[in-house]
Amino acid sequence: MNPAAGQVHLVPQYRAGATTALVTGALNLNSYPDLRDGLLKIATESPDGLIADIDGLDVDDAALVTVFSLIAMRIGDWPGIPFSVVTARPEHRTMFADRTVDKFVPVYEDRETAEHLLSRPPRRRAAQLLARSVNSSALARDFVRRVCAEWGVAGLTEDALLIATELVENAVRHTESPPRLRLELRRGILSVAVSDDSPRPAVLLERLSSLEPGLGLRMIAQVAKVWGCSRSWSGGKTVWAVLTRRAAPSSGRDRG
């Protein structure tokens, strides 16, 4: 975090089973975006769960604790991991209860309890590092077909192929890093995500010509339940889309 931009500091501690973000400093109007964006960045690289330890966080205005509800909602879309808060401070618990935040975010007194009770729905995960080449999107499609067949989600395969092709081609076209393709399946929900090392936010533009490669924002919005662009704590970003068996049109949102 940038101390000049606010008074909140985050330190991720990556462990098997869950990542803990140690949060210290003061939550105020200036630091609110830092806390929100910082936790969303850490969530991008926390495949199994995220716990925010806020024991060392002072809150200037009780209304600001609703940021944790917002974070839970966004993490729920993608990466779809469990999220909880740890605090032993009674004033924190009162703020969460008064603002009904504890109805959306589980709150525990210590990390051990939070890790033990963290809800981990069954999920399957597969990843593929792709070289930057004219064959990248073809290799991505082969990977998606193979994984979807293995997971028994034939009804989502065509949409997943469309999204993977577009996201991989964008990464190859607009960044200098090899695209990293990741598929996840949880409770009938399939996510397709492509990561790269560029911090530049992704902007999926409509194609000016049907002869140009890629199918554009409109097609992704039509097949995905939701999609977005999430920056990562270590740098770079992930562009992702979520599919369900009854996907509905949705507009993209910049996540974190």
Side-chain angles (χ1 to χ4, degrees):
M1 304 299 293
N2 180 4
Q7 295 79 42
V8 68
H9 307 273
L10 285 80
V11 178
Q13 299 174 342
Y14 299 101
R15 299 171 57 180
T19 296
T20 296
L22 185 61
V23 185
T24 58
L27 175 58
N28 50 44
L29 289 176
N30 291 328
S31 63
Y32 181 103
D34 289 336
L35 176 61
R36 177 197 62 206
D37 297 347
L39 287 176
L40 291 174
K41 288 178 182 179
I42 294 172
T44 301
E45 299 172 339
S46 307
D48 297 310
L50 177 61
I51 299 169
D53 186 337
I54 65 168
D55 241 5
L57 182 69
D58 295 324
V59 181
D60 289 0
D61 182 345
L64 298 177
V65 298
T66 56
V67 67
F68 294 100
S69 299
L70 173 61
I71 292 167
M73 179 188 70
R74 292 191 175 183
I75 289 176
D77 282 337
W78 191 90
I81 59 175
F83 173 62
S84 64
V85 169
V86 165
T87 178
R89 295 170 62 168
E91 69 269 26
H92 284 168
R93 292 177 169 274
T94 298
M95 293 176 190
F96 275 57
D98 289 347
R99 302 289 172 170
T100 66
V101 174
D102 54 356
K103 292 185 178 181
F104 304 96
V105 184
V107 183
Y108 304 104
E109 290 191 4
D110 57 76
R111 297 193 206 181
E112 291 74 18
T113 302
E115 290 183 3
H116 178 69
L117 297 177
L118 200 64
S119 173
R120 297 181 178 90
R123 69 172 63 216
R124 306 181 76 174
R125 183 181 297 115
Q128 180 71 56
L129 176 64
L130 301 166
R132 294 186 70 257
S133 73
V134 294
N135 297 321
S136 295
S137 57
L139 294 173
R141 287 191 292 273
D142 289 343
F143 175 74
V144 170
R145 287 192 188 94
R146 183 171 68 254
V147 172
C148 286
E150 179 184 339
W151 290 352
V153 288
L156 300 176
T157 302
E158 290 304 315
D159 290 343
L161 289 169
L162 182 157
I163 293 169
T165 298
E166 176 68 16
L167 298 185
V168 168
E169 288 182 351
N170 275 357
V172 171
R173 186 178 302 113
H174 300 298
T175 77
E176 298 299 322
S177 62
R180 300 182 294 277
L181 174 61
R182 186 169 94 194
L183 302 180
E184 293 193 32
L185 180 66
R186 53 184 171 89
R187 294 176 177 171
I189 299 172
L190 179 68
S191 65
V192 182
V194 174
S195 303
D196 60 63
D197 296 332
S198 171
R200 181 180 179 184
V203 180
L204 303 184
L205 300 175
E206 297 294 347
R207 305 299 179 189
L208 298 178
S209 167
S210 61
L211 299 178
E212 292 187 61
L215 297 172
L217 169 59
R218 184 177 297 276
M219 291 301 295
I220 288 181
Q222 286 177 349
V223 302
K225 176 186 177 182
V226 63
W227 67 269
C229 176
S230 297
R231 289 167 287 182
S232 62
W233 184 260
S234 60
K237 65 180 179 297
T238 298
V239 188
W240 51 268
V242 174
L243 295 168
T244 64
R245 289 185 172 85
R246 295 185 178 182
S250 174
S251 60
R253 288 176 284 180
D254 183 4
R255 304 300 175 87

